[in-house]
Short mmCIF file of all heavy atoms in Angstrom, two decimals:
data_model
loop_
_atom_site.label_atom_id
_atom_site.label_comp_id
_atom_site.label_asym_id
_atom_site.label_seq_id
_atom_site.Cartn_x
_atom_site.Cartn_y
_atom_site.Cartn_z
N MET A 1 84.96 174.56 -202.32
CA MET A 1 85.14 173.12 -202.30
C MET A 1 83.78 172.48 -202.56
O MET A 1 82.80 172.79 -201.90
CB MET A 1 85.69 172.68 -200.94
CG MET A 1 85.94 171.21 -200.87
SD MET A 1 86.48 170.57 -199.28
CE MET A 1 87.91 171.49 -198.92
N ASP A 2 83.74 171.58 -203.52
CA ASP A 2 82.47 170.94 -203.82
C ASP A 2 82.21 169.77 -202.87
O ASP A 2 83.06 169.39 -202.06
CB ASP A 2 82.42 170.49 -205.28
CG ASP A 2 83.50 169.48 -205.62
OD1 ASP A 2 84.44 169.34 -204.83
OD2 ASP A 2 83.38 168.86 -206.69
N LYS A 3 81.01 169.24 -202.98
CA LYS A 3 80.57 168.22 -202.04
C LYS A 3 81.38 166.92 -202.16
O LYS A 3 81.64 166.25 -201.16
CB LYS A 3 79.09 167.94 -202.29
CG LYS A 3 78.40 167.22 -201.19
CD LYS A 3 76.91 167.18 -201.46
CE LYS A 3 76.17 166.63 -200.26
NZ LYS A 3 74.75 166.62 -200.46
N LYS A 4 81.80 166.58 -203.38
CA LYS A 4 82.57 165.35 -203.58
C LYS A 4 83.93 165.43 -202.90
O LYS A 4 84.36 164.49 -202.23
CB LYS A 4 82.73 165.08 -205.07
CG LYS A 4 83.34 163.74 -205.36
CD LYS A 4 83.31 163.42 -206.83
CE LYS A 4 83.88 162.05 -207.06
NZ LYS A 4 83.81 161.65 -208.44
N ASN A 5 84.62 166.55 -203.04
CA ASN A 5 85.91 166.72 -202.38
C ASN A 5 85.76 166.73 -200.87
O ASN A 5 86.60 166.18 -200.15
CB ASN A 5 86.59 168.01 -202.83
CG ASN A 5 87.22 167.87 -204.20
OD1 ASN A 5 87.46 166.77 -204.66
ND2 ASN A 5 87.46 168.99 -204.83
N PHE A 6 84.69 167.36 -200.39
CA PHE A 6 84.47 167.41 -198.94
C PHE A 6 84.29 166.00 -198.38
O PHE A 6 84.85 165.67 -197.33
CB PHE A 6 83.24 168.27 -198.62
CG PHE A 6 82.93 168.34 -197.16
CD1 PHE A 6 83.70 169.11 -196.31
CD2 PHE A 6 81.88 167.60 -196.63
CE1 PHE A 6 83.43 169.17 -194.96
CE2 PHE A 6 81.61 167.65 -195.27
CZ PHE A 6 82.38 168.44 -194.44
N GLY A 7 83.51 165.15 -199.05
CA GLY A 7 83.31 163.78 -198.59
C GLY A 7 84.60 162.99 -198.58
O GLY A 7 84.85 162.19 -197.68
N PHE A 8 85.44 163.22 -199.58
CA PHE A 8 86.73 162.52 -199.65
C PHE A 8 87.63 162.92 -198.49
O PHE A 8 88.19 162.06 -197.79
CB PHE A 8 87.40 162.82 -200.99
CG PHE A 8 88.77 162.23 -201.11
CD1 PHE A 8 88.94 160.87 -201.29
CD2 PHE A 8 89.90 163.04 -201.03
CE1 PHE A 8 90.20 160.32 -201.40
CE2 PHE A 8 91.16 162.50 -201.15
CZ PHE A 8 91.31 161.14 -201.33
N TYR A 9 87.76 164.22 -198.25
CA TYR A 9 88.63 164.67 -197.17
C TYR A 9 88.07 164.30 -195.80
O TYR A 9 88.81 164.00 -194.87
CB TYR A 9 88.88 166.18 -197.26
CG TYR A 9 89.71 166.54 -198.47
CD1 TYR A 9 89.25 167.46 -199.41
CD2 TYR A 9 90.95 165.96 -198.69
CE1 TYR A 9 90.01 167.79 -200.52
CE2 TYR A 9 91.70 166.27 -199.79
CZ TYR A 9 91.24 167.19 -200.70
OH TYR A 9 91.99 167.49 -201.79
N TYR A 10 86.75 164.31 -195.67
CA TYR A 10 86.12 163.90 -194.42
C TYR A 10 86.41 162.41 -194.17
O TYR A 10 86.65 162.00 -193.03
CB TYR A 10 84.62 164.17 -194.47
CG TYR A 10 83.91 163.90 -193.19
CD1 TYR A 10 84.20 164.63 -192.04
CD2 TYR A 10 82.92 162.93 -193.10
CE1 TYR A 10 83.54 164.39 -190.85
CE2 TYR A 10 82.25 162.68 -191.93
CZ TYR A 10 82.57 163.42 -190.81
OH TYR A 10 81.91 163.17 -189.63
N GLY A 11 86.42 161.61 -195.22
CA GLY A 11 86.75 160.20 -195.08
C GLY A 11 88.18 160.00 -194.62
O GLY A 11 88.46 159.14 -193.78
N ILE A 12 89.09 160.79 -195.17
CA ILE A 12 90.49 160.70 -194.74
C ILE A 12 90.63 161.07 -193.27
O ILE A 12 91.36 160.42 -192.51
CB ILE A 12 91.38 161.61 -195.62
CG1 ILE A 12 91.48 161.02 -197.03
CG2 ILE A 12 92.77 161.77 -195.02
CD1 ILE A 12 92.20 161.89 -198.01
N ILE A 13 89.90 162.09 -192.84
CA ILE A 13 89.93 162.50 -191.43
C ILE A 13 89.39 161.39 -190.54
O ILE A 13 89.95 161.09 -189.48
CB ILE A 13 89.17 163.82 -191.24
CG1 ILE A 13 89.94 164.96 -191.89
CG2 ILE A 13 88.93 164.10 -189.76
CD1 ILE A 13 89.19 166.27 -191.95
N LEU A 14 88.29 160.75 -190.97
CA LEU A 14 87.72 159.66 -190.17
C LEU A 14 88.71 158.50 -190.03
O LEU A 14 88.85 157.93 -188.94
CB LEU A 14 86.42 159.16 -190.81
CG LEU A 14 85.19 160.02 -190.63
CD1 LEU A 14 84.04 159.47 -191.45
CD2 LEU A 14 84.81 160.12 -189.18
N VAL A 15 89.37 158.14 -191.11
CA VAL A 15 90.36 157.05 -191.04
C VAL A 15 91.50 157.44 -190.11
O VAL A 15 91.95 156.64 -189.28
CB VAL A 15 90.87 156.70 -192.45
CG1 VAL A 15 92.06 155.76 -192.37
CG2 VAL A 15 89.77 156.08 -193.29
N GLY A 16 91.96 158.68 -190.20
CA GLY A 16 93.04 159.14 -189.33
C GLY A 16 92.66 159.11 -187.86
O GLY A 16 93.44 158.69 -187.00
N VAL A 17 91.44 159.54 -187.56
CA VAL A 17 90.98 159.52 -186.17
C VAL A 17 90.82 158.08 -185.69
O VAL A 17 91.11 157.77 -184.53
CB VAL A 17 89.65 160.32 -186.03
CG1 VAL A 17 89.02 160.11 -184.68
CG2 VAL A 17 89.90 161.79 -186.28
N GLY A 18 90.37 157.19 -186.56
CA GLY A 18 90.25 155.79 -186.19
C GLY A 18 91.59 155.19 -185.82
O GLY A 18 91.72 154.48 -184.81
N PHE A 19 92.62 155.48 -186.62
CA PHE A 19 93.96 154.98 -186.29
C PHE A 19 94.49 155.64 -185.02
O PHE A 19 95.21 155.00 -184.23
CB PHE A 19 94.93 155.19 -187.45
CG PHE A 19 94.76 154.18 -188.55
CD1 PHE A 19 94.48 154.60 -189.84
CD2 PHE A 19 94.87 152.83 -188.29
CE1 PHE A 19 94.32 153.67 -190.85
CE2 PHE A 19 94.72 151.88 -189.30
CZ PHE A 19 94.44 152.31 -190.58
N ALA A 20 94.15 156.90 -184.79
CA ALA A 20 94.58 157.57 -183.56
C ALA A 20 93.94 156.93 -182.33
O ALA A 20 94.57 156.83 -181.28
CB ALA A 20 94.22 159.05 -183.63
N VAL A 21 92.70 156.47 -182.46
CA VAL A 21 92.04 155.78 -181.35
C VAL A 21 92.81 154.50 -181.02
O VAL A 21 93.08 154.21 -179.85
CB VAL A 21 90.56 155.48 -181.68
CG1 VAL A 21 89.96 154.50 -180.68
CG2 VAL A 21 89.75 156.76 -181.70
N PHE A 22 93.19 153.73 -182.06
CA PHE A 22 93.96 152.51 -181.82
C PHE A 22 95.31 152.83 -181.17
O PHE A 22 95.78 152.09 -180.32
CB PHE A 22 94.20 151.75 -183.13
CG PHE A 22 93.03 150.92 -183.56
CD1 PHE A 22 92.36 151.21 -184.73
CD2 PHE A 22 92.59 149.85 -182.80
CE1 PHE A 22 91.28 150.44 -185.14
CE2 PHE A 22 91.52 149.08 -183.19
CZ PHE A 22 90.86 149.38 -184.37
N TYR A 23 95.91 153.93 -181.56
CA TYR A 23 97.20 154.31 -181.01
C TYR A 23 97.09 154.71 -179.54
O TYR A 23 97.98 154.44 -178.74
CB TYR A 23 97.77 155.48 -181.83
CG TYR A 23 99.08 156.01 -181.33
CD1 TYR A 23 100.26 155.30 -181.49
CD2 TYR A 23 99.13 157.24 -180.66
CE1 TYR A 23 101.45 155.79 -181.01
CE2 TYR A 23 100.32 157.73 -180.18
CZ TYR A 23 101.48 157.01 -180.35
OH TYR A 23 102.66 157.49 -179.87
N ARG A 24 95.98 155.35 -179.17
CA ARG A 24 95.82 155.87 -177.81
C ARG A 24 95.26 154.86 -176.81
O ARG A 24 95.32 155.09 -175.60
CB ARG A 24 94.89 157.08 -177.83
CG ARG A 24 95.47 158.31 -178.42
CD ARG A 24 96.34 159.04 -177.47
NE ARG A 24 95.56 159.46 -176.32
CZ ARG A 24 96.08 159.83 -175.19
NH1 ARG A 24 97.37 159.85 -175.04
NH2 ARG A 24 95.32 160.18 -174.18
N ILE A 25 94.71 153.76 -177.27
CA ILE A 25 94.06 152.81 -176.36
C ILE A 25 94.97 152.35 -175.22
O ILE A 25 94.56 152.39 -174.06
CB ILE A 25 93.46 151.62 -177.13
CG1 ILE A 25 92.23 152.07 -177.91
CG2 ILE A 25 93.08 150.48 -176.19
CD1 ILE A 25 91.66 151.02 -178.84
N PRO A 26 96.21 151.93 -175.48
CA PRO A 26 97.04 151.47 -174.34
C PRO A 26 97.29 152.56 -173.30
O PRO A 26 97.30 152.28 -172.09
CB PRO A 26 98.36 151.06 -175.02
CG PRO A 26 98.01 150.77 -176.43
CD PRO A 26 96.88 151.70 -176.76
N GLN A 27 97.46 153.81 -173.74
CA GLN A 27 97.71 154.89 -172.78
C GLN A 27 96.46 155.23 -171.99
O GLN A 27 96.53 155.49 -170.78
CB GLN A 27 98.22 156.12 -173.53
CG GLN A 27 99.55 155.87 -174.20
CD GLN A 27 99.65 156.58 -175.53
OE1 GLN A 27 98.72 157.20 -175.98
NE2 GLN A 27 100.81 156.45 -176.17
N VAL A 28 95.32 155.22 -172.66
CA VAL A 28 94.08 155.57 -171.97
C VAL A 28 93.66 154.46 -171.01
O VAL A 28 93.12 154.73 -169.94
CB VAL A 28 92.97 155.85 -173.02
CG1 VAL A 28 91.62 156.00 -172.36
CG2 VAL A 28 93.31 157.09 -173.82
N MET A 29 93.92 153.22 -171.37
CA MET A 29 93.54 152.11 -170.50
C MET A 29 94.27 152.16 -169.17
O MET A 29 93.72 151.74 -168.14
CB MET A 29 93.76 150.77 -171.20
CG MET A 29 92.75 150.46 -172.28
SD MET A 29 91.03 150.58 -171.74
CE MET A 29 90.95 149.27 -170.55
N LEU A 30 95.49 152.66 -169.16
CA LEU A 30 96.20 152.83 -167.88
C LEU A 30 95.46 153.80 -166.97
O LEU A 30 95.41 153.60 -165.75
CB LEU A 30 97.63 153.31 -168.14
CG LEU A 30 98.56 152.32 -168.84
CD1 LEU A 30 99.89 152.99 -169.13
CD2 LEU A 30 98.74 151.09 -167.98
N GLN A 31 94.90 154.84 -167.54
CA GLN A 31 94.13 155.80 -166.75
C GLN A 31 92.79 155.23 -166.33
O GLN A 31 92.31 155.49 -165.22
CB GLN A 31 93.93 157.09 -167.54
CG GLN A 31 95.21 157.82 -167.84
CD GLN A 31 94.99 159.00 -168.77
OE1 GLN A 31 93.92 159.19 -169.31
NE2 GLN A 31 96.04 159.78 -168.96
N VAL A 32 92.17 154.45 -167.21
CA VAL A 32 90.86 153.87 -166.90
C VAL A 32 90.99 152.84 -165.77
O VAL A 32 90.09 152.70 -164.94
CB VAL A 32 90.24 153.24 -168.17
CG1 VAL A 32 88.99 152.44 -167.84
CG2 VAL A 32 89.92 154.32 -169.19
N GLU A 33 92.11 152.13 -165.73
CA GLU A 33 92.32 151.13 -164.68
C GLU A 33 92.32 151.74 -163.28
O GLU A 33 92.00 151.06 -162.32
CB GLU A 33 93.64 150.39 -164.91
CG GLU A 33 93.60 149.44 -166.08
CD GLU A 33 94.97 148.85 -166.38
OE1 GLU A 33 95.97 149.26 -165.76
OE2 GLU A 33 95.03 147.97 -167.26
N THR A 34 92.67 153.01 -163.17
CA THR A 34 92.70 153.66 -161.86
C THR A 34 91.31 154.03 -161.36
O THR A 34 91.14 154.29 -160.17
CB THR A 34 93.58 154.92 -161.90
OG1 THR A 34 93.02 155.85 -162.83
CG2 THR A 34 95.00 154.57 -162.30
N ILE A 35 90.32 154.04 -162.24
CA ILE A 35 88.95 154.36 -161.83
C ILE A 35 88.32 153.10 -161.25
O ILE A 35 88.25 152.06 -161.92
CB ILE A 35 88.13 154.88 -163.04
CG1 ILE A 35 88.80 156.12 -163.63
CG2 ILE A 35 86.70 155.17 -162.62
CD1 ILE A 35 88.19 156.58 -164.93
N GLU A 36 87.88 153.19 -160.03
CA GLU A 36 87.38 152.01 -159.31
C GLU A 36 86.16 151.39 -159.99
O GLU A 36 86.02 150.18 -160.05
CB GLU A 36 87.03 152.40 -157.87
CG GLU A 36 86.60 151.24 -157.01
CD GLU A 36 86.29 151.68 -155.60
OE1 GLU A 36 86.83 152.69 -155.16
OE2 GLU A 36 85.48 150.99 -154.96
N PHE A 37 85.27 152.21 -160.53
CA PHE A 37 84.05 151.70 -161.15
C PHE A 37 84.36 150.79 -162.34
O PHE A 37 83.65 149.81 -162.58
CB PHE A 37 83.17 152.88 -161.60
CG PHE A 37 81.90 152.46 -162.28
CD1 PHE A 37 80.84 151.97 -161.55
CD2 PHE A 37 81.77 152.54 -163.66
CE1 PHE A 37 79.66 151.58 -162.16
CE2 PHE A 37 80.61 152.15 -164.29
CZ PHE A 37 79.56 151.67 -163.54
N PHE A 38 85.39 151.10 -163.10
CA PHE A 38 85.71 150.34 -164.30
C PHE A 38 86.70 149.20 -164.05
O PHE A 38 87.06 148.49 -164.99
CB PHE A 38 86.29 151.27 -165.38
CG PHE A 38 85.29 152.24 -165.92
CD1 PHE A 38 85.49 153.60 -165.78
CD2 PHE A 38 84.15 151.81 -166.58
CE1 PHE A 38 84.58 154.51 -166.27
CE2 PHE A 38 83.24 152.70 -167.07
CZ PHE A 38 83.45 154.06 -166.92
N SER A 39 87.15 149.01 -162.83
CA SER A 39 88.18 147.99 -162.57
C SER A 39 87.69 146.59 -162.90
O SER A 39 88.48 145.74 -163.29
CB SER A 39 88.64 148.08 -161.12
OG SER A 39 87.56 147.80 -160.24
N GLN A 40 86.41 146.31 -162.76
CA GLN A 40 85.86 144.99 -163.07
C GLN A 40 85.37 144.89 -164.51
O GLN A 40 85.02 143.81 -164.97
CB GLN A 40 84.69 144.68 -162.12
CG GLN A 40 85.06 144.71 -160.66
CD GLN A 40 86.08 143.64 -160.32
OE1 GLN A 40 86.03 142.54 -160.87
NE2 GLN A 40 87.01 143.96 -159.44
N LYS A 41 85.34 146.02 -165.23
CA LYS A 41 84.78 146.05 -166.58
C LYS A 41 85.81 146.45 -167.63
O LYS A 41 85.47 147.01 -168.65
CB LYS A 41 83.61 147.03 -166.60
CG LYS A 41 82.51 146.70 -165.63
CD LYS A 41 81.59 147.88 -165.47
CE LYS A 41 80.51 147.64 -164.48
NZ LYS A 41 80.94 147.66 -163.11
N LEU A 42 87.07 146.15 -167.40
CA LEU A 42 88.14 146.59 -168.30
C LEU A 42 88.01 145.97 -169.68
O LEU A 42 88.28 146.63 -170.69
CB LEU A 42 89.50 146.27 -167.70
CG LEU A 42 89.89 147.12 -166.49
CD1 LEU A 42 91.24 146.68 -165.96
CD2 LEU A 42 89.92 148.58 -166.86
N PHE A 43 87.59 144.71 -169.75
CA PHE A 43 87.44 144.07 -171.06
C PHE A 43 86.37 144.77 -171.88
O PHE A 43 86.56 145.02 -173.09
CB PHE A 43 87.08 142.59 -170.90
CG PHE A 43 86.83 141.91 -172.22
CD1 PHE A 43 87.89 141.56 -173.04
CD2 PHE A 43 85.55 141.64 -172.63
CE1 PHE A 43 87.67 140.95 -174.26
CE2 PHE A 43 85.32 141.03 -173.84
CZ PHE A 43 86.38 140.69 -174.66
N LEU A 44 85.26 145.13 -171.25
CA LEU A 44 84.18 145.82 -171.95
C LEU A 44 84.62 147.20 -172.44
O LEU A 44 84.32 147.60 -173.57
CB LEU A 44 82.96 145.95 -171.03
CG LEU A 44 81.73 146.63 -171.60
CD1 LEU A 44 81.18 145.82 -172.76
CD2 LEU A 44 80.68 146.81 -170.54
N VAL A 45 85.35 147.92 -171.61
CA VAL A 45 85.84 149.24 -171.99
C VAL A 45 86.84 149.14 -173.14
O VAL A 45 86.75 149.88 -174.13
CB VAL A 45 86.47 149.96 -170.78
CG1 VAL A 45 87.12 151.26 -171.19
CG2 VAL A 45 85.43 150.20 -169.70
N ARG A 46 87.76 148.21 -173.05
CA ARG A 46 88.76 148.02 -174.11
C ARG A 46 88.09 147.60 -175.42
O ARG A 46 88.41 148.11 -176.48
CB ARG A 46 89.79 146.97 -173.69
CG ARG A 46 90.95 146.85 -174.64
CD ARG A 46 91.93 145.78 -174.18
NE ARG A 46 92.35 145.90 -172.80
CZ ARG A 46 93.46 146.54 -172.41
NH1 ARG A 46 94.24 147.08 -173.29
NH2 ARG A 46 93.76 146.62 -171.13
N ALA A 47 87.12 146.69 -175.34
CA ALA A 47 86.41 146.25 -176.53
C ALA A 47 85.64 147.41 -177.15
O ALA A 47 85.58 147.55 -178.38
CB ALA A 47 85.46 145.10 -176.19
N SER A 48 85.05 148.25 -176.32
CA SER A 48 84.31 149.41 -176.83
C SER A 48 85.24 150.38 -177.58
O SER A 48 84.86 150.90 -178.64
CB SER A 48 83.62 150.16 -175.68
OG SER A 48 82.70 149.33 -175.04
N PHE A 49 86.42 150.60 -177.05
CA PHE A 49 87.37 151.48 -177.73
C PHE A 49 87.79 150.89 -179.08
O PHE A 49 87.88 151.61 -180.08
CB PHE A 49 88.61 151.71 -176.87
CG PHE A 49 88.45 152.75 -175.81
CD1 PHE A 49 88.85 152.51 -174.51
CD2 PHE A 49 87.91 153.99 -176.12
CE1 PHE A 49 88.71 153.47 -173.53
CE2 PHE A 49 87.76 154.96 -175.15
CZ PHE A 49 88.16 154.70 -173.85
N TYR A 50 88.06 149.58 -179.11
CA TYR A 50 88.46 148.95 -180.37
C TYR A 50 87.32 148.97 -181.39
O TYR A 50 87.55 149.18 -182.59
CB TYR A 50 88.96 147.53 -180.14
CG TYR A 50 90.39 147.48 -179.66
CD1 TYR A 50 90.69 147.02 -178.39
CD2 TYR A 50 91.43 147.90 -180.47
CE1 TYR A 50 92.00 146.97 -177.94
CE2 TYR A 50 92.74 147.86 -180.03
CZ TYR A 50 93.01 147.40 -178.77
OH TYR A 50 94.32 147.37 -178.34
N ILE A 51 86.10 148.74 -180.94
CA ILE A 51 84.95 148.81 -181.85
C ILE A 51 84.78 150.22 -182.39
O ILE A 51 84.53 150.42 -183.59
CB ILE A 51 83.68 148.31 -181.14
CG1 ILE A 51 83.77 146.81 -180.91
CG2 ILE A 51 82.42 148.66 -181.94
CD1 ILE A 51 82.68 146.26 -180.01
N LEU A 52 84.94 151.22 -181.53
CA LEU A 52 84.84 152.61 -181.96
C LEU A 52 85.89 152.93 -183.03
O LEU A 52 85.57 153.52 -184.07
CB LEU A 52 85.02 153.55 -180.77
CG LEU A 52 85.10 155.05 -181.07
CD1 LEU A 52 83.75 155.55 -181.55
CD2 LEU A 52 85.57 155.80 -179.87
N GLY A 53 87.13 152.53 -182.79
CA GLY A 53 88.18 152.76 -183.77
C GLY A 53 87.90 152.05 -185.08
O GLY A 53 88.09 152.61 -186.17
N GLY A 54 87.44 150.81 -185.00
CA GLY A 54 87.12 150.06 -186.20
C GLY A 54 85.99 150.69 -187.00
O GLY A 54 86.05 150.75 -188.23
N LEU A 55 84.97 151.16 -186.31
CA LEU A 55 83.85 151.81 -187.01
C LEU A 55 84.28 153.12 -187.66
O LEU A 55 83.80 153.46 -188.76
CB LEU A 55 82.69 152.05 -186.04
CG LEU A 55 81.94 150.79 -185.61
CD1 LEU A 55 80.89 151.14 -184.55
CD2 LEU A 55 81.29 150.10 -186.79
N LEU A 56 85.16 153.86 -187.01
CA LEU A 56 85.65 155.10 -187.61
C LEU A 56 86.45 154.80 -188.89
O LEU A 56 86.27 155.49 -189.91
CB LEU A 56 86.53 155.87 -186.62
CG LEU A 56 85.80 156.60 -185.52
CD1 LEU A 56 86.77 157.06 -184.44
CD2 LEU A 56 85.04 157.78 -186.08
N ILE A 57 87.29 153.80 -188.84
CA ILE A 57 88.07 153.43 -190.03
C ILE A 57 87.14 152.92 -191.13
O ILE A 57 87.30 153.27 -192.31
CB ILE A 57 89.14 152.39 -189.66
CG1 ILE A 57 90.20 153.03 -188.76
CG2 ILE A 57 89.79 151.79 -190.91
CD1 ILE A 57 91.17 152.06 -188.17
N LEU A 58 86.16 152.12 -190.77
CA LEU A 58 85.21 151.60 -191.75
C LEU A 58 84.41 152.73 -192.40
O LEU A 58 84.26 152.76 -193.63
CB LEU A 58 84.27 150.60 -191.08
CG LEU A 58 83.19 149.99 -191.97
CD1 LEU A 58 83.83 149.11 -193.03
CD2 LEU A 58 82.21 149.19 -191.13
N ALA A 59 83.91 153.65 -191.60
CA ALA A 59 83.14 154.77 -192.14
C ALA A 59 83.98 155.63 -193.07
O ALA A 59 83.52 156.07 -194.13
CB ALA A 59 82.56 155.61 -191.01
N GLY A 60 85.22 155.89 -192.68
CA GLY A 60 86.10 156.66 -193.53
C GLY A 60 86.42 155.94 -194.82
O GLY A 60 86.44 156.54 -195.91
N GLY A 61 86.65 154.65 -194.73
CA GLY A 61 86.92 153.85 -195.92
C GLY A 61 85.74 153.84 -196.88
O GLY A 61 85.91 153.92 -198.10
N ILE A 62 84.54 153.76 -196.34
CA ILE A 62 83.34 153.79 -197.19
C ILE A 62 83.22 155.14 -197.89
O ILE A 62 82.93 155.20 -199.09
CB ILE A 62 82.09 153.49 -196.34
CG1 ILE A 62 82.08 152.02 -195.94
CG2 ILE A 62 80.82 153.84 -197.10
CD1 ILE A 62 81.01 151.66 -194.93
N ARG A 63 83.48 156.23 -197.18
CA ARG A 63 83.39 157.56 -197.81
C ARG A 63 84.44 157.72 -198.91
O ARG A 63 84.14 158.26 -199.96
CB ARG A 63 83.57 158.65 -196.77
CG ARG A 63 82.35 158.90 -195.96
CD ARG A 63 82.51 160.19 -195.16
NE ARG A 63 81.29 160.51 -194.48
CZ ARG A 63 80.38 161.33 -194.97
NH1 ARG A 63 80.56 161.90 -196.13
NH2 ARG A 63 79.29 161.58 -194.29
N ILE A 64 85.64 157.24 -198.65
CA ILE A 64 86.70 157.35 -199.66
C ILE A 64 86.36 156.49 -200.87
O ILE A 64 86.52 156.92 -202.01
CB ILE A 64 88.05 156.95 -199.04
CG1 ILE A 64 88.50 157.99 -198.01
CG2 ILE A 64 89.12 156.80 -200.11
CD1 ILE A 64 89.68 157.57 -197.16
N HIS A 65 85.87 155.29 -200.63
CA HIS A 65 85.53 154.36 -201.72
C HIS A 65 84.39 154.92 -202.58
O HIS A 65 84.40 154.78 -203.80
CB HIS A 65 85.16 153.00 -201.15
CG HIS A 65 84.86 151.98 -202.20
ND1 HIS A 65 83.59 151.78 -202.66
CD2 HIS A 65 85.67 151.14 -202.88
CE1 HIS A 65 83.62 150.84 -203.58
NE2 HIS A 65 84.87 150.43 -203.73
N ARG A 66 83.42 155.54 -201.97
CA ARG A 66 82.28 156.08 -202.71
C ARG A 66 82.70 157.23 -203.62
O ARG A 66 82.03 157.49 -204.63
CB ARG A 66 81.18 156.55 -201.77
CG ARG A 66 80.39 155.42 -201.19
CD ARG A 66 79.20 155.91 -200.43
NE ARG A 66 78.48 154.79 -199.86
CZ ARG A 66 77.56 154.89 -198.93
NH1 ARG A 66 77.24 156.08 -198.47
NH2 ARG A 66 76.97 153.83 -198.46
N ASN A 67 83.76 157.91 -203.30
CA ASN A 67 84.22 159.00 -204.16
C ASN A 67 84.86 158.48 -205.43
O ASN A 67 84.92 159.20 -206.42
CB ASN A 67 85.22 159.89 -203.42
CG ASN A 67 84.51 160.91 -202.57
OD1 ASN A 67 83.37 161.27 -202.83
ND2 ASN A 67 85.17 161.37 -201.53
N TYR A 68 85.35 157.26 -205.42
CA TYR A 68 85.99 156.72 -206.60
C TYR A 68 85.06 155.85 -207.44
O TYR A 68 85.46 155.31 -208.43
CB TYR A 68 87.23 155.90 -206.21
CG TYR A 68 88.36 156.81 -205.79
CD1 TYR A 68 88.80 156.79 -204.48
CD2 TYR A 68 88.94 157.68 -206.67
CE1 TYR A 68 89.82 157.64 -204.07
CE2 TYR A 68 89.96 158.52 -206.28
CZ TYR A 68 90.40 158.48 -204.98
OH TYR A 68 91.41 159.31 -204.58
N LYS A 69 83.82 155.71 -207.02
CA LYS A 69 82.85 154.94 -207.78
C LYS A 69 82.30 155.73 -208.93
O LYS A 69 82.09 156.86 -208.92
CB LYS A 69 81.69 154.52 -206.87
CG LYS A 69 81.76 153.09 -206.50
CD LYS A 69 80.51 152.72 -205.76
CE LYS A 69 80.37 151.24 -205.80
NZ LYS A 69 79.22 150.78 -205.11
#
């Protein structure tokens, strides 16, 4: 497998993991709510998860786009 194909498939994996993060956030937040330390910081934790998912999708999209340039 050459480097160009590897970057393309890696981009697809990044986008998939980013969407998986968005899918899992509601289930994980139920578990995070039970942790006493995070009970006052739920907005920050939720925002961090959404930012992480967004960055993964963005990075994957950039890798996929660069392969078609």
Side-chain angles (χ1 to χ4, degrees):
M1 182 184 304
D2 61 345
K3 196 172 188 178
K4 188 172 182 177
N5 282 341
F6 179 75
F8 176 73
Y9 292 124
Y10 186 63
I12 290 174
I13 291 171
L14 284 174
V15 170
V17 170
F19 282 122
V21 168
F22 280 116
Y23 177 73
R24 288 279 299 163
I25 288 173
Q27 296 144 357
V28 171
M29 286 307 295
L30 293 175
Q31 296 173 351
V32 171
E33 288 173 354
T34 62
I35 302 172
E36 184 179 334
F37 179 76
F38 293 118
S39 63
Q40 302 296 323
K41 301 166 183 74
L42 289 178
F43 176 76
L44 181 64
V45 174
R46 188 181 310 266
S48 298
F49 279 132
Y50 280 114
I51 290 170
L52 173 70
L55 289 175
L56 284 168
I57 292 171
L58 179 67
I62 289 171
R63 282 192 174 265
I64 291 170
H65 182 268
R66 284 188 181 166
N67 277 336
Y68 287 114
K69 255 187 161 179

